[in-house]
Amino acid sequence: IKQIIAKQEEEALEHFANLEHERWAKWQKYMLSKLYPLGESELSMNNHLLVMPTELYQRWERQIATTYAELSEKEKESDREQVRPYLDWHISSIKEILEGVKKYIETTQDKIAETHAEENGYRCSTRDTINHLEEIINKLK
């Protein structure tokens, strides 16, 4: 079980880093698509200057200064869309860990039952534990 969890942690780091890079790249591409050339101007010696529309700048500044709880429902949904890939992977990771626990219990249930019977004078039911894990796993699908 420790090996499964360690593997999941390692995979999670790389998976989430990849998702974060994709999210960042998508955002940067979107932001850059909103820039437009200022053109020849006395404002700048750089005739290749790109500018951002004021309304976008103001909206993003407002969003930066606003807590998630205070965002509009549309803005919250936009943030939710960004984290759904993280959640999907997290749920599949939990399922894999639970499957590993279930497999471990199934392969060692006779040994566990014998140990408990010797230590406590009764035979424990690991089948109930396995059934419960299966219910949890099925709910995560």
Side-chain angles (χ1 to χ4, degrees), residues 110-124:
D110 290 338
K111 178 69 176 158
I112 292 169
E114 288 172 18
T115 302
H116 281 282
E118 291 170 10
E119 293 174 357
N120 304 311
Y122 65 90
R123 190 165 175 87
C124 68

Side-chain angles (χ1 to χ4, degrees), residues 32 34-41 46-52:
L32 294 176
K34 300 303 178 187
L35 300 177
Y36 60 89
L38 184 60
E40 301 223 2
S41 169
N46 181 352
N47 291 331
H48 303 287
L49 187 64
L50 297 174
V51 296
M52 175 184 295

Side-chain angles (χ1 to χ4, degrees), residues 11 18 30 47 58 62 90 117 128 137 141:
E11 288 178 8
N18 183 58
Y30 172 76
N47 291 331
Q58 290 171 339
R62 179 192 55 78
H90 186 64
D128 290 339
I137 292 165
K141 291 182 180 174

Side-chain angles (χ1 to χ4, degrees), residues 7-25:
K7 179 181 173 234
Q8 288 295 338
E9 287 176 352
E10 187 177 312
E11 288 178 8
L13 179 62
E14 291 305 309
H15 183 76
F16 292 151
N18 183 58
L19 285 175
E20 176 57 19
H21 177 73
E22 288 174 1
R23 184 210 57 79
W24 173 84

